[in-house]
Amino acid sequence: MAMLEDIMGLDIQSFFRYIATIRYGYRDKSGKLHFTDDEDFAVRDYAFSSPEEVVRNNCGWCWDLAELIKVYCARHDLPCRSWFMEYLSDDLHQTHTQVFLHFRGKWCPAPENSLGLQLGTHGFDELTPCVNWFTDWFTDYLRSVLKDKFDETNLLVKEYTRTFSSGITDEEYLLQIRQG
């Protein structure tokens, strides 16, 4: 079983290859793991996982993985910034947390376990165009699902700097991240 310190010691390419192997899902309040490919998947009693728990359980979704990626970047002096995106309407509630890192002179979205991005692709000289590219990608997905029901006023895109305590619920996470 991998330990956080082992993962922190990986070179950047190996780290993001490892991130891609983490199963997409969450840990509940009782410690049970739930994966999106489970036949009976539903979100019940979500508990935020710390970077150590993500590594130990080999399980996390974007909220959890963002914290692991930020810890790695801090440990390796890689500039990074994190953004939260949320679409909230009666028809759809969709969120995504994305870390952007400065790699080889370019800002790029950090790969994780659900989007199929590769390290260093979609690189931009400045952060804002990178975030805008990713936000456009997110809204293109929303538009494809919602069609004419898409309403830009239901979209929240914001940078955040806070960290989160292990075990908080999804409601607590959303409240904290929306507030700053």
Side-chain angles (χ1 to χ4, degrees), residues 96-107:
H96 184 67
T97 302
Q98 183 63 46
V99 176
F100 298 90
L101 67 120
H102 199 250
F103 176 70
R104 295 186 178 160
K106 301 281 186 182
W107 283 98

Side-chain angles (χ1 to χ4, degrees), residues 11 18 20 31-32 49 51 53 64 87 91 93 123 127 138-139 148-149 157 164 168 175:
D11 66 82
Y18 165 75
K32 184 178 180 201
S49 291
E53 290 163 332
D64 311 301
Y87 188 86
D91 297 306
H93 184 209
L127 176 61
F138 184 68
T139 55
D148 60 345
K149 292 182 179 181
V157 178
F164 303 92
I168 64 171
L175 179 65

Side-chain angles (χ1 to χ4, degrees), residues 19-38:
I19 290 292
T21 70
I22 295 172
R23 291 193 61 197
Y24 195 76
Y26 71 96
R27 175 181 62 92
D28 68 21
K29 288 288 197 182
S30 66
K32 184 178 180 201
L33 303 179
H34 304 267
F35 301 101
T36 55
D37 57 1
D38 291 345

Side-chain angles (χ1 to χ4, degrees), residues 13 16-17 19-21 69 85 96-101 108-124 130 133-135 137-138:
Q13 298 285 351
F16 282 108
R17 277 194 300 274
I19 290 292
T21 70
I69 292 167
M85 299 165 205
H96 184 67
T97 302
Q98 183 63 46
V99 176
F100 298 90
L101 67 120
C108 57
E112 38 99 288
N113 63 349
S114 70
L115 300 176
L117 295 172
Q118 299 297 314
L119 180 62
T121 58
H122 311 292
F124 294 83
C130 186
W133 172 84
F134 194 90
T135 302
W137 194 34
F138 184 68

